[in-house]
Amino acid sequence: GHSVRNMLANLRAVVVDPNHLRAFAMSASMVFAGFTVIPYITLYMQFNASFQSDQIPYIYLFGGISTLLTARWIGHWSDRAGKAYAFRRLALLMPLPLLGLTLSASLPMAGVLFLSSVLFVVMSGRMIPGMALIGASADPQRRGSFMTLNSAVQSLAMGTAALVGGLILGRDGNGHLTHYWVSALVGGGASVLSFVLSSKLRLHGANSN
């Protein structure tokens, strides 16, 4: 009973800190931003962009390679320019490829792969400085509890975003997905919100630029 009481007291101390709540809100909006669109890429490509099912993996293959190639560069840039600066730039950029991909049905395959790769690069790229900012806003004494709660917040945000994206989507008479771009606007809005919230965090530690 004692350890459970301790754990609950610790979690309560994490949750009542206003700076932690801002960090969780930023964390949720950052993750929400991608997941109104990401779960439905395959459906959109098959029904709207007439991709064959064996062509779909190319989206993730090119996206993955592009992300691998740029992650180190984004990490270095984030260290040099400051994590807050890097995160804000990427969070503001994110709505563009997000919206672009949801309107890409008429593009040739190369155009679709370019847009999807840019989206994957920006989406995972902003997680590098984003998670550094969130980690730095944790009270050092409660960092473990904070990061555990943050994982739960992100999972909840992912699930909620996928649900919202699914509720927005429709199908027309030809079987095409409709209103996918609206999901992108909602996700883009969440990305802009994460940009706003990131400027309201109080960071701990010397390296808090």
Side-chain angles (χ1 to χ4, degrees), residues 43-63:
L43 289 175
Y44 178 76
M45 291 307 157
Q46 281 180 315
F47 296 132
N48 295 46
S50 54
F51 266 50
Q52 303 306 310
S53 53
D54 61 349
Q55 294 174 318
I56 300 287
Y58 287 125
I59 289 174
Y60 298 99
L61 178 69
F62 280 91

Side-chain angles (χ1 to χ4, degrees), residues 137-148:
S137 60
D139 175 349
Q141 290 164 315
R142 309 206 184 277
R143 195 184 177 89
S145 303
F146 174 88
M147 293 314 271
T148 304

Side-chain angles (χ1 to χ4, degrees), residues 115-150:
L115 271 174
S116 56
S117 296
V118 170
L119 175 60
F120 281 112
V121 164
V122 174
M123 198 171 78
S124 56
R126 82 215 149 104
M127 297 300 282
I128 299 167
M131 286 308 293
L133 278 178
I134 287 162
S137 60
D139 175 349
Q141 290 164 315
R142 309 206 184 277
R143 195 184 177 89
S145 303
F146 174 88
M147 293 314 271
T148 304
L149 266 177
N150 185 58

Side-chain angles (χ1 to χ4, degrees), residues 70-83 86 90 125 128-129:
T70 54
R72 220 174 131 203
W73 178 82
I74 290 174
H76 283 311
W77 171 56
S78 171
D79 289 339
R80 269 202 324 275
K83 46 189 179 282
L90 292 166
I128 299 167

Side-chain angles (χ1 to χ4, degrees), residues 30-31 33-35 89-99 119 122-124 126 187-188 191:
M30 173 173 81
V31 171
F35 280 84
R89 291 293 164 279
L90 292 166
L92 276 189
L93 181 61
M94 170 107 168
L96 295 175
L98 206 57
L99 190 59
L119 175 60
V122 174
M123 198 171 78
S124 56
R126 82 215 149 104
S191 195

Side-chain angles (χ1 to χ4, degrees), residues 170-181:
R171 295 285 282 276
D172 66 11
N174 303 321
H176 292 158
L177 291 190
T178 55
H179 306 131
Y180 194 31
W181 61 275

